[in-house]
Amino acid sequence: MSANTVAVTDGSFESDVLKAEGAVLVDFWAEWCGPCKMIAPALDEIGAEYKDRVKVAKVNIDENPEAPTRYGVRSIPTLIVFRDGKPVAQKTGALPKSQLKAWIDSAL
């Protein structure tokens, strides 16, 4: 995880995501998920490139079951963009970095 990516727990979800200023991209992932590991470097790079526009947060669904349940996460990776505490865009599955950036741009 890069300096621009923050690990979020069920306990910190409200303060790190719902009460955060600006946009937050939440990556719901798990250690055993191959596609999750595949997109992790791209998300770290996006976190650095978009550091003034969006914060990248990662929620390990095995260790933190509440937040994924609350937002209906059924498969991973699931990415949700939150703005002002509300989900504004959601994407499931691994995508190339260029498609991730295009999706984030459309959500912002």
Side-chain angles (χ1 to χ4, degrees), residues 25-48:
L25 169 62
V26 180
D27 172 23
F28 292 95
W29 71 286
E31 202 61 54
W32 48 264
C33 169
C36 298
K37 290 181 177 184
M38 201 167 74
I39 66 167
L43 291 175
D44 285 344
E45 291 171 14
I46 288 169

Side-chain angles (χ1 to χ4, degrees), residues 7-92:
V8 175
T9 65
D10 282 337
S12 69
F13 194 87
E14 186 171 344
S15 61
D16 288 340
V17 177
L18 302 180
K19 291 185 177 175
E21 286 188 27
V24 181
L25 169 62
V26 180
D27 172 23
F28 292 95
W29 71 286
E31 202 61 54
W32 48 264
C33 169
C36 298
K37 290 181 177 184
M38 201 167 74
I39 66 167
L43 291 175
D44 285 344
E45 291 171 14
I46 288 169
E49 291 170 25
Y50 284 63
K51 68 178 181 278
D52 297 330
R53 296 172 57 202
V54 67
K55 175 170 83 171
V56 177
K58 298 179 76 69
V59 176
N60 182 321
I61 65 162
D62 290 333
E63 296 170 2
N64 304 284
E66 287 176 29
T69 301
R70 188 179 329 154
Y71 294 99
V73 174
R74 288 181 177 79
S75 62
I76 53 172
T78 290
L79 305 170
I80 302 177
V81 176
F82 287 83
R83 191 176 318 129
D84 301 321
K86 295 176 180 54
V88 295
Q90 183 169 332
K91 191 69 101 176
T92 302

